[in-house]
Amino acid sequence: MRFSIALVAASAIAVQAGVFTKQTYNDISISGGTAGNAENEALAVFSALDLNNLAAADEDDIDFLKSVNSICNDAEKEAFNPAIEAASGEEADALQRGKIKNKVLKLEATILRLMIQQAQGEDVSDEMATEQKKLDNNIKQDEDEAGNPSTFLSFSASTA
Protein backbone atom coordinates (compact mmCIF):
# COMPACT_ATOMS: atom_id res chain seq x y z
CA MET A 1 0.00 0.00 0.00
CA ARG A 2 2.78 2.40 0.92
CA PHE A 3 4.47 1.75 -2.45
CA SER A 4 1.33 2.55 -4.47
CA ILE A 5 0.81 5.87 -2.65
CA ALA A 6 4.42 6.85 -3.38
CA LEU A 7 3.99 5.86 -7.03
CA VAL A 8 0.82 7.93 -7.37
CA ALA A 9 2.55 10.92 -5.78
CA ALA A 10 5.56 10.58 -8.08
CA SER A 11 3.28 10.33 -11.11
CA ALA A 12 1.45 13.48 -10.11
CA ILE A 13 4.75 15.36 -9.90
CA ALA A 14 5.72 14.17 -13.39
CA VAL A 15 2.66 15.73 -15.02
CA GLN A 16 3.70 18.49 -17.39
CA ALA A 17 2.98 22.01 -16.17
CA GLY A 18 3.93 23.90 -19.29
CA VAL A 19 7.35 24.33 -20.84
CA PHE A 20 7.58 28.11 -20.46
CA THR A 21 8.41 30.15 -17.39
CA LYS A 22 7.31 33.65 -16.50
CA GLN A 23 9.58 36.18 -18.23
CA THR A 24 9.79 39.91 -18.67
CA TYR A 25 9.26 41.62 -21.99
CA ASN A 26 12.88 42.77 -21.90
CA ASP A 27 14.05 39.16 -21.50
CA ILE A 28 12.16 37.87 -24.54
CA SER A 29 12.38 40.96 -26.76
CA ILE A 30 14.13 40.50 -30.10
CA SER A 31 13.75 44.13 -31.19
CA GLY A 32 17.42 45.11 -30.83
CA GLY A 33 20.43 44.24 -32.93
CA THR A 34 20.00 44.15 -36.68
CA ALA A 35 17.09 43.43 -38.96
CA GLY A 36 16.84 40.42 -41.22
CA ASN A 37 16.63 37.41 -38.91
CA ALA A 38 13.53 38.13 -36.80
CA GLU A 39 11.79 34.88 -37.65
CA ASN A 40 14.66 32.74 -36.32
CA GLU A 41 15.14 35.02 -33.32
CA ALA A 42 11.43 34.70 -32.46
CA LEU A 43 11.42 30.94 -32.87
CA ALA A 44 14.43 30.72 -30.53
CA VAL A 45 12.35 32.41 -27.81
CA PHE A 46 9.85 29.56 -28.09
CA SER A 47 12.38 26.74 -28.56
CA ALA A 48 11.25 24.92 -25.39
CA LEU A 49 8.02 24.00 -27.16
CA ASP A 50 8.06 20.56 -28.81
CA LEU A 51 6.90 21.39 -32.34
CA ASN A 52 6.67 17.65 -33.12
CA ASN A 53 4.10 17.08 -30.37
CA LEU A 54 1.99 20.23 -30.11
CA ALA A 55 -1.02 18.24 -28.95
CA ALA A 56 0.85 17.63 -25.67
CA ALA A 57 1.13 21.36 -24.91
CA ASP A 58 -0.99 22.42 -21.98
CA GLU A 59 -3.06 25.43 -20.97
CA ASP A 60 -0.03 27.06 -19.30
CA ASP A 61 1.77 27.02 -22.66
CA ILE A 62 -1.23 28.56 -24.41
CA ASP A 63 -1.51 31.22 -21.68
CA PHE A 64 2.19 32.05 -22.05
CA LEU A 65 1.84 32.48 -25.82
CA LYS A 66 -1.26 34.63 -25.36
CA SER A 67 0.59 36.80 -22.87
CA VAL A 68 3.55 37.24 -25.26
CA ASN A 69 1.08 38.54 -27.84
CA SER A 70 -0.45 40.88 -25.28
CA ILE A 71 2.78 42.37 -23.92
CA CYS A 72 4.19 42.79 -27.44
CA ASN A 73 1.01 44.65 -28.41
CA ASP A 74 1.39 46.86 -25.35
CA ALA A 75 5.06 47.54 -26.14
CA GLU A 76 4.12 48.50 -29.70
CA LYS A 77 1.42 50.94 -28.59
CA GLU A 78 3.04 52.35 -25.45
CA ALA A 79 6.75 52.32 -26.37
CA PHE A 80 7.44 51.94 -30.09
CA ASN A 81 4.69 54.10 -31.57
CA PRO A 82 5.40 57.16 -29.39
CA ALA A 83 9.18 56.80 -29.85
CA ILE A 84 8.84 56.53 -33.63
CA GLU A 85 6.54 59.53 -33.71
CA ALA A 86 9.06 61.59 -31.71
CA ALA A 87 12.09 60.53 -33.79
CA SER A 88 13.24 61.34 -37.31
CA GLY A 89 15.69 60.05 -39.89
CA GLU A 90 17.72 56.94 -39.15
CA GLU A 91 16.65 56.99 -35.49
CA ALA A 92 13.00 56.60 -36.56
CA ASP A 93 13.96 53.96 -39.13
CA ALA A 94 15.86 51.88 -36.55
CA LEU A 95 12.91 52.14 -34.16
CA GLN A 96 10.56 51.03 -36.95
CA ARG A 97 12.79 48.00 -37.63
CA GLY A 98 12.68 47.17 -33.90
CA LYS A 99 8.90 47.49 -33.99
CA ILE A 100 8.72 45.07 -36.94
CA LYS A 101 10.86 42.55 -35.08
CA ASN A 102 8.54 42.96 -32.08
CA LYS A 103 5.58 42.22 -34.38
CA VAL A 104 7.30 39.07 -35.66
CA LEU A 105 7.70 37.87 -32.06
CA LYS A 106 4.05 38.66 -31.31
CA LEU A 107 2.77 36.92 -34.42
CA GLU A 108 5.01 33.84 -33.99
CA ALA A 109 3.49 33.46 -30.51
CA THR A 110 0.02 33.70 -32.02
CA ILE A 111 0.76 31.17 -34.77
CA LEU A 112 2.23 28.72 -32.26
CA ARG A 113 -0.84 29.11 -30.03
CA LEU A 114 -3.09 28.41 -33.00
CA MET A 115 -0.99 25.42 -34.03
CA ILE A 116 -1.40 23.99 -30.51
CA GLN A 117 -5.15 24.57 -30.59
CA GLN A 118 -5.36 22.97 -34.04
CA ALA A 119 -3.30 19.96 -32.87
CA GLN A 120 -5.73 19.60 -29.96
CA GLY A 121 -8.71 19.44 -32.32
CA GLU A 122 -9.94 23.04 -32.52
CA ASP A 123 -10.86 24.55 -35.87
CA VAL A 124 -8.76 27.69 -36.06
CA SER A 125 -8.04 27.62 -39.80
CA ASP A 126 -9.58 31.02 -40.58
CA GLU A 127 -7.70 32.77 -37.78
CA MET A 128 -4.52 30.86 -38.71
CA ALA A 129 -4.72 32.11 -42.31
CA THR A 130 -5.26 35.72 -41.20
CA GLU A 131 -2.41 35.67 -38.69
CA GLN A 132 -0.04 33.83 -41.05
CA LYS A 133 -0.58 36.53 -43.68
CA LYS A 134 0.34 39.21 -41.10
CA LEU A 135 3.40 37.22 -40.01
CA ASP A 136 4.58 36.70 -43.58
CA ASN A 137 4.24 40.44 -44.26
CA ASN A 138 6.28 41.38 -41.19
CA ILE A 139 8.95 38.76 -41.90
CA LYS A 140 9.30 40.19 -45.43
CA GLN A 141 9.62 43.72 -44.04
CA ASP A 142 12.30 42.51 -41.64
CA GLU A 143 14.19 40.65 -44.38
CA ASP A 144 13.99 43.70 -46.68
CA GLU A 145 15.93 45.65 -44.01
CA ALA A 146 18.51 42.89 -43.40
CA GLY A 147 21.73 44.16 -41.89
CA ASN A 148 20.33 47.52 -40.82
CA PRO A 149 20.29 48.39 -37.11
CA SER A 150 17.10 47.89 -35.12
CA THR A 151 16.44 49.54 -31.81
CA PHE A 152 15.52 47.75 -28.60
CA LEU A 153 13.14 49.62 -26.32
CA SER A 154 12.82 48.61 -22.69
CA PHE A 155 9.25 47.94 -21.59
CA SER A 156 7.91 46.90 -18.20
CA ALA A 157 5.66 43.86 -18.61
CA SER A 158 5.72 40.14 -17.85
CA THR A 159 4.30 37.00 -19.38
CA ALA A 160 1.78 34.77 -17.64
Side-chain angles (χ1 to χ4, degrees), residues 13-42:
I13 292 170
V15 173
Q16 182 181 6
V19 297
F20 299 113
T21 58
K22 184 175 182 176
Q23 296 185 23
T24 68
Y25 171 81
N26 292 346
D27 290 339
I28 64 170
S29 175
I30 63 169
S31 60
T34 58
N37 198 32
E39 180 178 24
N40 288 330
E41 291 177 51

mmCIF file of all heavy atoms in Angstrom, residues 13-42:
data_model
loop_
_atom_site.group_PDB
_atom_site.id
_atom_site.type_symbol
_atom_site.label_atom_id
_atom_site.label_comp_id
_atom_site.label_asym_id
_atom_site.label_seq_id
_atom_site.Cartn_x
_atom_site.Cartn_y
_atom_site.Cartn_z
ATOM 1 N N ILE A 13 3.675 14.386 -9.736
ATOM 2 C CA ILE A 13 4.745 15.364 -9.900
ATOM 3 C C ILE A 13 5.225 15.396 -11.341
ATOM 4 O O ILE A 13 5.608 16.441 -11.862
ATOM 5 C CB ILE A 13 5.906 15.040 -8.926
ATOM 6 C CG1 ILE A 13 5.449 15.274 -7.498
ATOM 7 C CG2 ILE A 13 7.146 15.862 -9.240
ATOM 8 C CD1 ILE A 13 6.411 14.757 -6.448
ATOM 9 N N ALA A 14 5.200 14.261 -12.020
ATOM 10 C CA ALA A 14 5.722 14.172 -13.386
ATOM 11 C C ALA A 14 4.798 14.797 -14.432
ATOM 12 O O ALA A 14 5.200 14.989 -15.570
ATOM 13 C CB ALA A 14 5.984 12.711 -13.753
ATOM 14 N N VAL A 15 3.593 15.139 -14.064
ATOM 15 C CA VAL A 15 2.656 15.731 -15.019
ATOM 16 C C VAL A 15 3.205 17.073 -15.503
ATOM 17 O O VAL A 15 3.653 17.896 -14.719
ATOM 18 C CB VAL A 15 1.262 15.922 -14.369
ATOM 19 C CG1 VAL A 15 0.333 16.698 -15.285
ATOM 20 C CG2 VAL A 15 0.663 14.577 -14.036
ATOM 21 N N GLN A 16 3.164 17.259 -16.803
ATOM 22 C CA GLN A 16 3.700 18.489 -17.394
ATOM 23 C C GLN A 16 2.907 19.708 -16.927
ATOM 24 O O GLN A 16 1.696 19.699 -16.878
ATOM 25 C CB GLN A 16 3.635 18.394 -18.914
ATOM 26 C CG GLN A 16 4.224 19.600 -19.608
ATOM 27 C CD GLN A 16 4.129 19.490 -21.109
ATOM 28 O OE1 GLN A 16 3.545 18.581 -21.647
ATOM 29 N NE2 GLN A 16 4.716 20.448 -21.801
ATOM 30 N N ALA A 17 3.620 20.773 -16.604
ATOM 31 C CA ALA A 17 2.981 22.014 -16.167
ATOM 32 C C ALA A 17 3.368 23.155 -17.092
ATOM 33 O O ALA A 17 3.524 24.279 -16.653
ATOM 34 C CB ALA A 17 3.373 22.311 -14.734
ATOM 35 N N GLY A 18 3.541 22.875 -18.339
ATOM 36 C CA GLY A 18 3.927 23.902 -19.293
ATOM 37 C C GLY A 18 5.439 23.971 -19.421
ATOM 38 O O GLY A 18 6.164 23.730 -18.465
ATOM 39 N N VAL A 19 5.914 24.303 -20.596
ATOM 40 C CA VAL A 19 7.353 24.332 -20.840
ATOM 41 C C VAL A 19 7.946 25.723 -20.674
ATOM 42 O O VAL A 19 9.152 25.883 -20.622
ATOM 43 C CB VAL A 19 7.698 23.781 -22.247
ATOM 44 C CG1 VAL A 19 7.294 22.323 -22.357
ATOM 45 C CG2 VAL A 19 7.059 24.612 -23.348
ATOM 46 N N PHE A 20 7.097 26.742 -20.569
ATOM 47 C CA PHE A 20 7.580 28.109 -20.456
ATOM 48 C C PHE A 20 7.528 28.590 -19.012
ATOM 49 O O PHE A 20 6.697 28.150 -18.236
ATOM 50 C CB PHE A 20 6.728 29.044 -21.323
ATOM 51 C CG PHE A 20 6.768 28.711 -22.788
ATOM 52 C CD1 PHE A 20 5.633 28.239 -23.433
ATOM 53 C CD2 PHE A 20 7.927 28.874 -23.533
ATOM 54 C CE1 PHE A 20 5.656 27.934 -24.788
ATOM 55 C CE2 PHE A 20 7.962 28.576 -24.877
ATOM 56 C CZ PHE A 20 6.824 28.101 -25.507
ATOM 57 N N THR A 21 8.416 29.520 -18.705
ATOM 58 C CA THR A 21 8.411 30.146 -17.387
ATOM 59 C C THR A 21 8.078 31.626 -17.552
ATOM 60 O O THR A 21 8.249 32.195 -18.633
ATOM 61 C CB THR A 21 9.781 30.023 -16.708
ATOM 62 O OG1 THR A 21 10.772 30.634 -17.538
ATOM 63 C CG2 THR A 21 10.146 28.568 -16.461
ATOM 64 N N LYS A 22 7.623 32.224 -16.476
ATOM 65 C CA LYS A 22 7.309 33.649 -16.505
ATOM 66 C C LYS A 22 8.574 34.432 -16.855
ATOM 67 O O LYS A 22 9.641 34.171 -16.291
ATOM 68 C CB LYS A 22 6.763 34.094 -15.146
ATOM 69 C CG LYS A 22 6.314 35.523 -15.116
ATOM 70 C CD LYS A 22 5.672 35.869 -13.782
ATOM 71 C CE LYS A 22 5.195 37.299 -13.792
ATOM 72 N NZ LYS A 22 4.483 37.646 -12.566
ATOM 73 N N GLN A 23 8.444 35.366 -17.793
ATOM 74 C CA GLN A 23 9.580 36.177 -18.228
ATOM 75 C C GLN A 23 9.140 37.609 -18.439
ATOM 76 O O GLN A 23 7.967 37.875 -18.680
ATOM 77 C CB GLN A 23 10.151 35.621 -19.533
ATOM 78 C CG GLN A 23 10.733 34.232 -19.389
ATOM 79 C CD GLN A 23 11.404 33.767 -20.656
ATOM 80 O OE1 GLN A 23 11.813 34.548 -21.488
ATOM 81 N NE2 GLN A 23 11.506 32.469 -20.809
ATOM 82 N N THR A 24 10.107 38.512 -18.386
ATOM 83 C CA THR A 24 9.785 39.910 -18.667
ATOM 84 C C THR A 24 9.843 40.159 -20.168
ATOM 85 O O THR A 24 10.498 39.412 -20.911
ATOM 86 C CB THR A 24 10.777 40.867 -17.970
ATOM 87 O OG1 THR A 24 12.067 40.725 -18.570
ATOM 88 C CG2 THR A 24 10.835 40.614 -16.474
ATOM 89 N N TYR A 25 9.184 41.224 -20.579
ATOM 90 C CA TYR A 25 9.256 41.619 -21.991
ATOM 91 C C TYR A 25 10.713 41.817 -22.401
ATOM 92 O O TYR A 25 11.136 41.359 -23.470
ATOM 93 C CB TYR A 25 8.455 42.905 -22.244
ATOM 94 C CG TYR A 25 8.689 43.440 -23.631
ATOM 95 C CD1 TYR A 25 8.007 42.904 -24.725
ATOM 96 C CD2 TYR A 25 9.628 44.446 -23.860
ATOM 97 C CE1 TYR A 25 8.261 43.362 -26.004
ATOM 98 C CE2 TYR A 25 9.875 44.913 -25.141
ATOM 99 C CZ TYR A 25 9.188 44.357 -26.213
ATOM 100 O OH TYR A 25 9.452 44.804 -27.491
ATOM 101 N N ASN A 26 11.490 42.496 -21.563
ATOM 102 C CA ASN A 26 12.884 42.774 -21.896
ATOM 103 C C ASN A 26 13.687 41.497 -22.100
ATOM 104 O O ASN A 26 14.602 41.464 -22.917
ATOM 105 C CB ASN A 26 13.530 43.650 -20.832
ATOM 106 C CG ASN A 26 12.947 45.048 -20.808
ATOM 107 O OD1 ASN A 26 12.247 45.477 -21.725
ATOM 108 N ND2 ASN A 26 13.217 45.771 -19.731
ATOM 109 N N ASP A 27 13.348 40.435 -21.361
ATOM 110 C CA ASP A 27 14.053 39.157 -21.501
ATOM 111 C C ASP A 27 13.734 38.451 -22.815
ATOM 112 O O ASP A 27 14.587 37.757 -23.362
ATOM 113 C CB ASP A 27 13.723 38.217 -20.342
ATOM 114 C CG ASP A 27 14.330 38.676 -19.025
ATOM 115 O OD1 ASP A 27 15.308 39.456 -19.048
ATOM 116 O OD2 ASP A 27 13.813 38.254 -17.974
ATOM 117 N N ILE A 28 12.534 38.588 -23.314
ATOM 118 C CA ILE A 28 12.162 37.875 -24.541
ATOM 119 C C ILE A 28 12.216 38.755 -25.788
ATOM 120 O O ILE A 28 12.125 38.248 -26.901
ATOM 121 C CB ILE A 28 10.756 37.232 -24.431
ATOM 122 C CG1 ILE A 28 9.673 38.289 -24.267
ATOM 123 C CG2 ILE A 28 10.729 36.193 -23.317
ATOM 124 C CD1 ILE A 28 8.258 37.757 -24.390
ATOM 125 N N SER A 29 12.392 40.049 -25.613
ATOM 126 C CA SER A 29 12.382 40.959 -26.759
ATOM 127 C C SER A 29 13.488 40.625 -27.751
ATOM 128 O O SER A 29 14.617 40.317 -27.365
ATOM 129 C CB SER A 29 12.563 42.404 -26.289
ATOM 130 O OG SER A 29 12.661 43.259 -27.417
ATOM 131 N N ILE A 30 13.152 40.705 -29.017
ATOM 132 C CA ILE A 30 14.126 40.499 -30.099
ATOM 133 C C ILE A 30 14.319 41.788 -30.887
ATOM 134 O O ILE A 30 14.930 41.790 -31.947
ATOM 135 C CB ILE A 30 13.698 39.351 -31.035
ATOM 136 C CG1 ILE A 30 12.382 39.675 -31.755
ATOM 137 C CG2 ILE A 30 13.596 38.030 -30.268
ATOM 138 C CD1 ILE A 30 12.019 38.741 -32.891
ATOM 139 N N SER A 31 13.802 42.901 -30.392
ATOM 140 C CA SER A 31 13.753 44.133 -31.189
ATOM 141 C C SER A 31 15.111 44.758 -31.461
ATOM 142 O O SER A 31 15.268 45.477 -32.438
ATOM 143 C CB SER A 31 12.823 45.158 -30.530
ATOM 144 O OG SER A 31 13.280 45.491 -29.244
ATOM 145 N N GLY A 32 16.108 44.507 -30.637
ATOM 146 C CA GLY A 32 17.416 45.112 -30.825
ATOM 147 C C GLY A 32 18.281 44.364 -31.818
ATOM 148 O O GLY A 32 17.890 43.349 -32.381
ATOM 149 N N GLY A 33 19.479 44.903 -32.038
ATOM 150 C CA GLY A 33 20.433 44.243 -32.931
ATOM 151 C C GLY A 33 20.318 44.736 -34.351
ATOM 152 O O GLY A 33 20.346 45.936 -34.605
ATOM 153 N N THR A 34 20.163 43.799 -35.265
ATOM 154 C CA THR A 34 19.996 44.147 -36.677
ATOM 155 C C THR A 34 18.780 43.443 -37.238
ATOM 156 O O THR A 34 18.365 42.395 -36.745
ATOM 157 C CB THR A 34 21.237 43.756 -37.515
ATOM 158 O OG1 THR A 34 21.460 42.356 -37.362
ATOM 159 C CG2 THR A 34 22.472 44.519 -37.097
ATOM 160 N N ALA A 35 18.241 44.018 -38.265
ATOM 161 C CA ALA A 35 17.089 43.433 -38.955
ATOM 162 C C ALA A 35 17.540 42.288 -39.860
ATOM 163 O O ALA A 35 18.713 42.185 -40.203
ATOM 164 C CB ALA A 35 16.372 44.510 -39.776
ATOM 165 N N GLY A 36 16.588 41.454 -40.229
ATOM 166 C CA GLY A 36 16.841 40.417 -41.219
ATOM 167 C C GLY A 36 16.687 38.998 -40.738
ATOM 168 O O GLY A 36 16.579 38.079 -41.545
ATOM 169 N N ASN A 37 16.685 38.774 -39.439
ATOM 170 C CA ASN A 37 16.626 37.414 -38.908
ATOM 171 C C ASN A 37 15.560 37.272 -37.822
ATOM 172 O O ASN A 37 15.656 36.407 -36.952
ATOM 173 C CB ASN A 37 18.017 37.023 -38.358
ATOM 174 C CG ASN A 37 18.169 35.536 -38.184
ATOM 175 O OD1 ASN A 37 17.589 34.748 -38.929
ATOM 176 N ND2 ASN A 37 18.940 35.140 -37.192
ATOM 177 N N ALA A 38 14.546 38.109 -37.863
ATOM 178 C CA ALA A 38 13.531 38.131 -36.799
ATOM 179 C C ALA A 38 12.799 36.801 -36.651
ATOM 180 O O ALA A 38 12.496 36.391 -35.525
ATOM 181 C CB ALA A 38 12.532 39.261 -37.037
ATOM 182 N N GLU A 39 12.522 36.143 -37.749
ATOM 183 C CA GLU A 39 11.792 34.879 -37.655
ATOM 184 C C GLU A 39 12.564 33.866 -36.805
ATOM 185 O O GLU A 39 12.006 33.266 -35.876
ATOM 186 C CB GLU A 39 11.512 34.305 -39.040
ATOM 187 C CG GLU A 39 10.745 32.994 -38.991
ATOM 188 C CD GLU A 39 10.413 32.433 -40.356
ATOM 189 O OE1 GLU A 39 11.110 32.755 -41.346
ATOM 190 O OE2 GLU A 39 9.451 31.661 -40.431
ATOM 191 N N ASN A 40 13.853 33.692 -37.093
ATOM 192 C CA ASN A 40 14.657 32.740 -36.325
ATOM 193 C C ASN A 40 14.842 33.199 -34.882
ATOM 194 O O ASN A 40 14.841 32.375 -33.961
ATOM 195 C CB ASN A 40 16.008 32.514 -36.995
ATOM 196 C CG ASN A 40 15.868 31.698 -38.265
ATOM 197 O OD1 ASN A 40 14.974 30.877 -38.388
ATOM 198 N ND2 ASN A 40 16.750 31.948 -39.216
ATOM 199 N N GLU A 41 15.003 34.497 -34.675
ATOM 200 C CA GLU A 41 15.141 35.020 -33.315
ATOM 201 C C GLU A 41 13.864 34.752 -32.516
ATOM 202 O O GLU A 41 13.924 34.374 -31.342
ATOM 203 C CB GLU A 41 15.433 36.516 -33.347
ATOM 204 C CG GLU A 41 16.811 36.863 -33.887
ATOM 205 C CD GLU A 41 17.033 38.361 -33.977
ATOM 206 O OE1 GLU A 41 16.791 39.064 -32.979
ATOM 207 O OE2 GLU A 41 17.445 38.829 -35.055
ATOM 208 N N ALA A 42 12.709 34.947 -33.143
ATOM 209 C CA ALA A 42 11.434 34.700 -32.456
ATOM 210 C C ALA A 42 11.261 33.215 -32.145
ATOM 211 O O ALA A 42 10.864 32.849 -31.035
ATOM 212 C CB ALA A 42 10.277 35.210 -33.297
#
